[in-house]
Every structure is written in structure tokens, then in C-alpha cells.
């Protein structure tokens, strides 16, 4: 292969930005390959924090990483745009035209060539075709959606202040996203409570949160003991947890369950299921899983094309599927960062990516948290009030920051965040 191979990384999320940064340091810096990251947005956020942005308990100015800044300091290129199709014969990708927020066109549709592509375009919640969900529910799958939810949440709180009404929120999906969102929303209103007495002269309206889970228990990916403890914790703070509650339809007033019950909700959030973005269907006829993810071999290479790799949530290892988590996405990015250089330089096949399960962590606001460690051990909960598990959850993000920025800037960012918590209100109020 030529000494200046073109590697396109499509999607700068948990996996894509880690890979671009690492390959920039190895191949890019030594001029051995041209590494280009393409993302439909201009900045990266750590997706496992979106529920905190949605609830306003973390404010995101400091948590966005500019792709351009990261590219310029780490020897890769960045182009904004959505990859809408791949021509595998010509080895070209097509980026859709780029528009400004006022709708005016900034860039025409563009074509870029490649020697290798790594697809890391993430996933979305899956409405499973349930009637009324797309029209009547909010999603928190990206920063735009999390911010839109937060604005709606603040406006509904204001309305409830004005007419002394209760605010009903129903969240569909008792996985980590829905469960953590329920706790975070509750925490948010607890913080507003003392503020509101000064700002409006009265206590805030009552918040009613219902968590709807189709399965028999919440957090099905965790040991049963964690599910039970998390449900008890949510119920203790006042969240109404309904298991075996399958949603049949959504409408502007709430959800209708399969058994005919109607759950009223002013704000309706859909946080269930995982599917790849629809656009994978136009990616050169690559074979896809039932959820639209790109079918890959254990070495993350597409089953159809040796020059196309996929990692993170948008990939599906046909022989041994893995869950859509940040931990999997990061390990896969590290694997490709380690082995793609030899593949490019000498054609050495990328070996299988072996996933090392380091456990799973769930944090319910500042109420409690659990880490399910490999080997069935569970940490957190009970006497420690989950502090160690909650710290573990934060550490995942801090590790990611240090990986992207290096130690000095990484630690400086952590310090800046700590300063922010002192100088800003602890919940977003504007
Ligand atoms: C609210 C929430 C909480 C979560 N909590 C946890 C947790 O506690 N622990 C955990 O392990 N996991 C958690 N997850 C899951 C975790 O965030 C994902 O598994 C992880 O982000 C997957 O990384 P990724 O790189 O595959 O995709 P992402 O991080 O989603 O990145 C995808 C990127 O691709 C870009 N993109 C999409 N389509 C295109 C296109 N066509 N062209 C160009 N760019 C495109 C997007 O803009 C984005 O930057 C949570 C998810 C959510 C939504």
C-alpha cells in the first residue's frame, strides 16, 4: 500500500475520537497515512453523560471537545458532514451538503476517497415501530436532543410553578439510560427546591416520574441484586417504577400500555432499545444485523469488505455480539489503533478483538450506585451509599478525557470542572 494511505474514520464519538487521536499520534505524526475524521457535528461529548445534560445537573460547555481543535493538535484532519453513502467499487464516501443553522447551504455534497474506512457512527434508541413514539416522544441520543429536552423540562417546570400543577414525566426503558435519567431528573428538582423559594417565593411543583420497563426487572444487564436495589432506591426517592409494562402506543397525553392502561405524561421520553442510524442501509450494501448494525468479523472488519471496519454501537460481531456500551467502544478503538498500522503498512491481518469485561457501573444521581464486577461481585449500595461505584462512573469519563488530552491538559480539565461546580449553580437554570 502507498506510504500515504487514506484512512477515513466516520463518527467521532467514544470510539471514533479515541481512534483518530491515537492514529494521529502514530501514523499521522510520521506522515505514514492521512487520517481524516468525519462527523455530522462539530464537537464531541461523552455520550454516557447525556442524561445529566438533559436533567441540567451537568452543564455542558466544558464537556464539549472541538473536533477541529483536537485534529489540529493530534495530526489528523477533520471534516464536518454526514456520510450518506459509500461506493465500495470506487472506494468513495459521499457527505451530504452542510447547512448553517438558518438553513443556508455552506458546503455542497462532497466525495472523499479512502484506502480504509472505520465506521463508528453510534446508535439511537429503538422505537420498535411503536405507533406515536416518533411524533410524541423526546429522545436523548445526542447533545442537541439532550439540550432540547432540558429546555422543555425547564419550561414545563415554569408552567407548573405558574398554575400550581404537578409535572408528570414518563420514561420508557429501564436500562441504564432510563434508570439514570429518572434519578437525575429527581435530583435536578431537589436542587431547584431551595432556589425557587427565593426566585418565585414558593416551593417548586411536585414532580411525578414514572419509569416503564417492558421486562420483569429494570437494569436487565446487571445482576438481579442490583436491579432490586436500584428499584428500591428509585422508589425511595419517589419514582414510580412499573415493570412488565409494555408500551403499545404514545400520544400527546401519555402512553397506552398493552393491557390498555393509560399512563398520563406531559413529558414523554423514549430511552428503550438500541439500533444503528438508518443511514447504514445506504452504506454500499453492507450486510446488517436486525438492528441495522454493520455485521463484522471478530477482528471488526466488515463481513463483506476487507477495507471497511466498524466498531462501537454501530457494529455487530456476528459470532459473538457484545452490548452497546462505552467500555466496548473504547476497547475496540484501542484494538484498531494498535493493529491498523501494521495492516496498512504490510497487509498483516488485524487479529480478533478480545473483549475484557471490566464490569458495569450504574449511578443513580448522588443517591446511590453499583458496580457489577466480573466474576459476579457487586460493589456499591448499602452502607457506602454507593460512593465507590459513583466515583467509578465519573472515573470512566475522566480516563476518556486524559486519553484525548494527555495528562497535563486532562488533569487541568478536571480541575476546571471542579472550579465550575463552585462558581456555577448546581443545576441549569437558564
Ligand atoms: C443517556 C445515555 C447514558 C449512557 N450511559 C452509559 C453508561 O453509563 N455506561 C456505558 O458504558 N455506556 C453508556 N451509554 C452508551 C454509550 O454512550 C455508547 O455505548 C457509546 O457512546 C458508543 O460509542 P460509539 O463511539 O459507538 O458512538 P457514539 O459515542 O454515539 O458516537 C457516534 C458519533 O457518530 C456521529 N455520527 C452519527 N452518524 C453519522 C454520520 N452518518 N456521519 C458522520 N458522523 C455521524 C455522531 O455525531 C457521534 O459523534 C449511554 C448512552 C446514553 C444515550
Amino acid at each position: 500500500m502507498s506510504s500515504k494511505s487514506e484512512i477515513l474514520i466516520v463518527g467521532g464519538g467514544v470510539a471514533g475520537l479515541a481512534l483518530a487521536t491515537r492514529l494521529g499520534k502514530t501514523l499521522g505524526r510520521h506522515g505514514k497515512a492521512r487520517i481524516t475524521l468525519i462527523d455530522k457535528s462539530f464537537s464531541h461529548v461523552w455520550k454516557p453523560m447525556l442524561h445529566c445534560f438533559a436533567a441540567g445537573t451537568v452543564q455542558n460547555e466544558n464537556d464539549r471537545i472541538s473536533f477541529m481543535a483536537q485534529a489540529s493538535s493530534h495530526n489528523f484532519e477533520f471534516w464536518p458532514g454526514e456520510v450518506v453513502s459509500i461506493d465500495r467499487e470506487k472506494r468513495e464516501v459521499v457527505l451530504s451538503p452542510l447547512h448553517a443553522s438558518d438553513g443556508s447551504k455552506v458546503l455542497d455534497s462532497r466525495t472523499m476517497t479512502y484506502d480504509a474506512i472505520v465506521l463508528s457512527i453510534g446508535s439511537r434508541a429503538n422505537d420498535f415501530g411503536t405507533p406515536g413514539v416518533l411524533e410524541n416522544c423526546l429522545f436523548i441520543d445526542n447533545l442537541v436532543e439532550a439540550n432540547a429536552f432540558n429546555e422543555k423540562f425547564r419550561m414545563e417546570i415554569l408552567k407548573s410553578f405558574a398554575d400550581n400543577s404537578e409535572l408528570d414525566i414518563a420514561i420508557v426503558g429501564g436500562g441504564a439510560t432510563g434508570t439514570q435519567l429518572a434519578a437525575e431528573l429527581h435530583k435536578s428538582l431537589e436542587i431547584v427546591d431551595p432556589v425557587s423559594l427565593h426566585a418565585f417565593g414558593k416551593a417548586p411543583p411536585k414532580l411525578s416520574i414514572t419509569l416503564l420497563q417492558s421486562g420483569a426487572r429494570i437494569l436487565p444487564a446487571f445482576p438481579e441484586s442490583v436491579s432490586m436495589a436500584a428499584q428500591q432506591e428509585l422508589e425511595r426517592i419517589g419514582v414510580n417504577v412499573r415493570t412488565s409494562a409494555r408500551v403499545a402506543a404514545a400520544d400527546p397525553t401519555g402512553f397506552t400500555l398493552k393491557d390498555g392502561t393509560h399512563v398520563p405524561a406531559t413529558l414523554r421520553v423514549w430511552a428503550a432499545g438500541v439500533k444503528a442510524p438508518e443511514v447504514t442501509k445506504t452504506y454500499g450494501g453492507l450486510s446488517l444485523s436486525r438492528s441495522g448494525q454493520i455485521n463484522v468479523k471478530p477482528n471488526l472488519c466488515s463481513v463483506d469488505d476487507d477495507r471497511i471496519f466498524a466498531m462501537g454501537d454501530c457494529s455487530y460481531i456476528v459470532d459473538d455480539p457484545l452490548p452497546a456500551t462505552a467500555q466496548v467502544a473504547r476497547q475496540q478503538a484501542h484494538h484498531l489503533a494498535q493493529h491498523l498500522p501494521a495492516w496498512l503498512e504490510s497487509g498483516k491481518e488485524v487479529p480478533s478483538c478480545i473483549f475484557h469485561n471490566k464490569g458495569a457501573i450504574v449511578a443513580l444521581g448522588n443517591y446511590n450506585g453499583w458496580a457489577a464486577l466480573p466474576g459476579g461481585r457487586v460493589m456499591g449500595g448499602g452502607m457506602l451509599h454507593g460512593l465507590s461505584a459513583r466515583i467509578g462512573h465519573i472515573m470512566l469519563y475522566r480516563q476518556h478525557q486524559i486519553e484525548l488530552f494527555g495528562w497535563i491538559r486532562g488533569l487541568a480539565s478536571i480541575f476546571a470542572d471542579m472550579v465550575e461546580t463552585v462558581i456555577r449553580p448546581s443545576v441549569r437554570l437558564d
Side-chain angles (χ1 to χ4, degrees), residues 164 235 254 399:
N164 279 324
E235 287 170 346
Q399 262 182 343

Side-chain angles (χ1 to χ4, degrees), residues 125-128 130 133 137-139 169-175 177-179 181 210-214 242 245-250 254-257 263 265 267-273:
N126 193 344
D127 70 347
F128 303 106
T130 313
V133 171
C137 292
L138 294 156
F139 292 78
I169 302 180
I171 302 165
V172 178
T177 304
T179 304
L181 177 66
T210 304
L211 182 63
L212 299 168
Q213 161 70 341
S214 59
R242 297 181 64 168
R246 192 168 285 277
V247 172
F255 291 106
T256 304
L257 305 185
V263 178
L267 286 183
R268 300 158 299 282
V269 189
W270 192 271

Side-chain angles (χ1 to χ4, degrees), residues 56-104:
T57 48
V58 174
Q59 301 177 50
N60 52 49
E61 281 80 0
N62 282 352
D63 295 293
R64 273 183 305 199
I65 299 174
S66 152
F67 286 126
M68 285 190 191
Q70 185 73 4
S72 74
S73 56
H74 289 85
N75 303 292
F76 65 89
E77 293 173 27
F78 167 69
W79 275 100
E82 180 176 10
V83 170
V84 285
S85 69
I86 299 176
D87 184 330
R88 295 203 278 130
E89 290 273 301
K90 292 189 190 156
R91 284 201 246 145
E92 281 178 1
V93 299
V94 176
L95 277 69
S96 63
L98 190 76
H99 294 93
S101 53
D102 63 3
S104 59

Side-chain angles (χ1 to χ4, degrees), residues 10-16 38-41 47-48 50-51 81-83 120-123 140-141 177 180 279 283 311-313 324-327 329 361 393:
V10 184
V14 169
I38 303 168
D39 199 287
K40 59 183 184 179
S41 93
K47 195 173 173 186
L50 287 180
H51 58 287
E82 180 176 10
V83 170
S120 47
I121 59 170
S123 65
I140 54 162
D141 287 319
T177 304
Q180 295 182 128
V279 76
Y283 282 180
M311 60 180 182
D313 287 8
T325 66
Q327 189 188 154
I361 297 177
H393 201 256

